Amino acid sequence: MLQVKNLSGGYSDANILKNITFAVSRGEMFGILGPNGSGKSTLLKVMSRLLSYKDGEITLDGRPLQQYSSKNLAKLMAVLPQVTSEMFPFTVKETVELGRYAHQRGLFHTWSPKDEAVVQEVMALTKMKEFQDVSLQELSGGERQRAFLAQALAQEPDILLLDEPTNHLDLSHQKGLLDRLRRWTRQRGLTVVTVFHDLNLAGLYCDRLLLLNEGEVVCIGSPEEVLNETLIQRIYRTALENHPHPEVPKPNMVLIPESGKDDKTILDEKYLSRNDESVLFDSPTPLKTIASASGGSGLGWKEKFIISTGRPSIDKGEKTVAMQIDDDQLYTNYSVNHEGGFSILFVLTADRRLGFFHTWLFINGHVSENALIEALAAALEGKQTALKNKVRPKETDDGIVVAATQKGAILPSARPSSELGQAIRRGLLDCSEKLFSSMKSGLSN
Ligand SMILES: Nc1ncnc2c1ncn2[C@@H]1O[C@H](COP(=O)(O)OP(=O)(O)OP(=O)(O)O)[C@@H](O)[C@H]1O
């Protein structure tokens, strides 16, 4: 529908945009990303003919953009510019009505019942009806943004160009607007080209993304292709990680603050307290944790890890992982294993019949999401090996924790061949051996 070919130019002589080529299909939601000053708004202005260009070509439905009269172009294309805090002397309804200009007929631009109906509809859609007689000057930034969006929608365009449409909008209005735009692309064939600053919103809602840098196209593709951790780090020159969205298969870039990684806390036995009936590890810092337990299972940031005989009478808050041992006595053993650059605190706890064999691993290091899962697999495997020759009840209910400080050495993998994977298997075997001998002596006492 919209084709941009070898486009170069910008403001007067400045070559802001450099040889840009891409095409947008009908019904597509297409996002433009890039750091500040990379040329996103300039590109949108050129595409909406607010700005001329030096070289290249833009065609709409196969026809060069310059060949459209302003009125015909306005029937096909509407633009929501970056809304500034400038004051406008119109009411909301007057502002929205301006969007109908291209559709009005005759010398006197007669206002038709259809014009009125469309204006009412778009004001309702953008939840601006109640503000229709209010002056733009008296609106908040988000309300003003919605008034201009209503104006653009009143044009009933085939293609909508938006410059940071969610700027000024609160979360519910961001979601409302983007859900609606996407629905219209699907149901009405509306084409949306929109500039985004928020990479995650762009990834969630757009079919394809274009990443600009210094006026050049760096990458065009699906959100998964463009929101690539290494690429985004390089272009935005900042530390971030991709932690895919928990509910939908979309990338999710998170910023990594500088301060978090400087903390020198090392997890060791001083945070561990034990008696005959309970074991508590009270971490001085939240730990990235994967756990299978009677309380606090799953993936999350945890601080307290508890095992108790009988029902644990503890506050199973969101930050706690709780396990149980159905016996009046528990046996526990720990060891701290230092490896090159990282260390692991192992804590193993069992009852005398080995009906429960709870395994805790606290890693002083920064593990990737993959490594956390692999570490869990390594711990399970190490545990199976350690228990190979042991007689156990038929029904067992073992809990397991792998938790990491996310500080210090970067540990990208815990596969069997990796340093972390081997350290886990080895450490677990050693610690289990010591636990079993302490149990023997405990039983014989
Ligand atoms: N009116 C103007 N006259 C001359 N140069 C301009 C003008 N507006 C912007 N520029 C320059 O053009 C370049 C691209 O600006 P543009 O506004 O397109 O960037 P952007 O990617 O939209 O940035 P942002 O994320 O900050 O909104 C910048 O170097 C900017 O300084």
Side-chain angles (χ1 to χ4, degrees):
M1 161 169 222
L2 183 78
Q3 195 130 34
V4 176
K5 238 189 209 166
N6 305 116
L7 184 79
S8 296
Y11 303 92
S12 55
D13 283 342
N15 233 8
I16 305 286
L17 304 173
K18 296 159 198 147
N19 200 24
I20 293 192
T21 297
F22 65 94
V24 184
S25 314
R26 186 175 300 280
E28 189 172 16
M29 192 137 166
F30 188 84
I32 300 173
L33 302 175
N36 286 141
S38 56
K40 303 180 295 294
S41 298
T42 309
L43 177 58
L44 220 62
K45 281 181 196 158
V46 171
M47 286 165 65
S48 58
R49 253 186 17 192
L50 283 170
L51 206 62
S52 54
Y53 51 92
K54 257 202 279 188
D55 293 311
E57 188 178 50
I58 305 178
T59 55
L60 187 55
D61 286 336
R63 255 179 88 193
L65 211 59
Q66 301 96 307
Q67 287 184 9
Y68 287 86
S69 69
S70 302
K71 201 163 175 172
N72 280 339
L73 189 62
K75 283 186 194 162
L76 287 174
M77 181 189 272
V79 185
L80 177 73
Q82 240 179 37
V83 174
T84 61
S85 52
E86 279 170 50
M87 297 301 177
F88 300 93
F90 298 114
T91 66
V92 167
K93 184 155 186 250
E94 285 163 351
T95 307
V96 180
E97 283 172 357
L98 289 174
R100 293 302 297 164
Y101 174 81
H103 291 274
Q104 287 163 8
R105 288 156 192 255
L107 204 54
F108 301 105
H109 297 287
T110 324
W111 188 251
S112 70
K114 161 108 198 258
D115 292 324
E116 184 62 29
V118 172
V119 165
Q120 292 299 333
E121 187 197 349
V122 297
M123 284 196 304
L125 280 175
T126 51
K127 303 206 167 56
M128 289 307 287
K129 235 174 175 167
E130 59 180 301
F131 296 100
Q132 59 181 305
D133 297 319
V134 178
S135 159
L136 287 189
Q137 298 171 1
E138 292 164 33
L139 296 179
S140 75
E143 289 156 359
R144 205 173 298 148
Q145 180 94 339
R146 276 151 51 207
F148 283 108
L149 179 70
Q151 185 191 65
L153 294 176
Q155 283 178 239
E156 295 187 296
D158 287 345
I159 177 161
L160 199 50
L161 305 185
L162 308 162
D163 199 345
E164 294 186 46
T166 53
N167 212 358
H168 304 293
L169 299 187
D170 63 30
L171 284 177
S172 99
H173 283 106
Q174 287 183 19
K175 179 173 156 26
L177 168 64
L178 294 171
D179 280 342
R180 183 162 294 129
L181 288 175
R182 224 171 109 90
R183 205 177 317 131
W184 286 345
T185 60
R186 303 299 183 260
Q187 293 172 353
R188 304 183 183 181
L190 176 72
T191 306
V192 177
V193 179
T194 173
V195 167
F196 271 110
H197 263 301
D198 187 320
L199 304 182
N200 295 328
L201 275 185
L204 263 185
Y205 282 95
C206 293
D207 299 302
R208 282 188 310 143
L209 301 173
L210 179 157
L211 178 62
L212 272 184
N213 191 34
E214 297 177 0
E216 291 184 63
V217 174
V218 180
C219 180
I220 302 177
S222 66
E224 291 72 22
E225 286 165 327
V226 176
L227 298 181
N228 167 291
E229 201 174 277
T230 323
L231 179 67
I232 297 294
Q233 279 192 16
R234 177 165 65 82
I235 299 299
Y236 283 82
R237 293 182 189 157
T238 191
L240 40 77
E241 287 174 6
N242 181 16
H243 292 268
H245 195 287
E247 292 299 325
V248 287
K250 294 282 184 178
N252 191 42
M253 312 302 276
V254 295
L255 287 171
I256 308 299
E258 220 171 43
S259 58
K261 303 213 160 171
D262 297 339
D263 189 343
K264 298 273 186 285
T265 308
I266 297 291
L267 303 179
D268 57 22
E269 68 275 15
K270 70 173 165 291
Y271 303 107
L272 188 67
S273 49
R274 306 175 294 161
N275 57 38
D276 284 350
E277 286 151 18
S278 69
V279 183
L280 167 69
F281 185 77
D282 197 354
S283 172
T285 175
L287 304 178
K288 185 166 181 174
T289 302
I290 188 163
S292 167
S294 48
S297 279
L299 199 60
W301 289 87
K302 307 287 180 182
E303 290 177 14
K304 272 193 167 54
F305 303 83
I306 293 174
I307 297 173
S308 56
T309 57
R311 215 161 268 292
S313 61
I314 45 110
D315 163 30
K316 289 190 211 164
E318 279 189 6
K319 294 177 184 166
T320 304
V321 175
M323 295 177 187
Q324 198 181 328
I325 280 203
D326 247 348
D327 200 349
D328 54 7
Q329 181 153 20
L330 54 78
Y331 296 85
T332 189
N333 189 59
Y334 72 86
S335 62
V336 184
N337 289 19
H338 294 273
E339 309 288 333
F342 69 97
S343 60
I344 308 175
L345 166 65
F346 295 87
V347 183
L348 301 179
T349 308
D351 65 316
R352 72 188 97 191
R353 293 167 58 240
L354 282 177
F356 298 84
F357 187 81
H358 297 320
T359 309
W360 291 353
L361 265 72
F362 300 104
I363 303 170
N364 286 299
H366 188 276
V367 298
S368 67
E369 209 136 273
N370 293 349
L372 196 64
I373 309 278
E374 288 161 2
L376 183 73
L380 285 168
E381 205 185 297
K383 188 188 88 172
Q384 294 305 344
T385 314
L387 288 165
K388 205 166 56 190
N389 300 319
K390 301 286 167 205
V391 180
R392 304 191 69 191
K394 266 204 182 112
E395 304 284 327
T396 55
D397 203 356
D398 298 343
I400 188 159
V401 160
V402 179
T405 53
Q406 299 305 81
K407 288 159 196 159
I410 304 282
L411 302 166
S413 167
R415 290 172 65 79
S417 56
S418 69
E419 215 182 335
L420 177 60
Q422 287 172 14
I424 290 173
R425 284 172 179 81
R426 204 174 46 240
L428 247 168
L429 280 181
D430 287 353
C431 195
S432 311
E433 282 311 312
K434 284 182 201 138
L435 175 70
F436 296 143
S437 33
S438 77
M439 286 171 74
K440 268 184 220 145
S441 55
L443 283 173
S444 58
N445 281 340

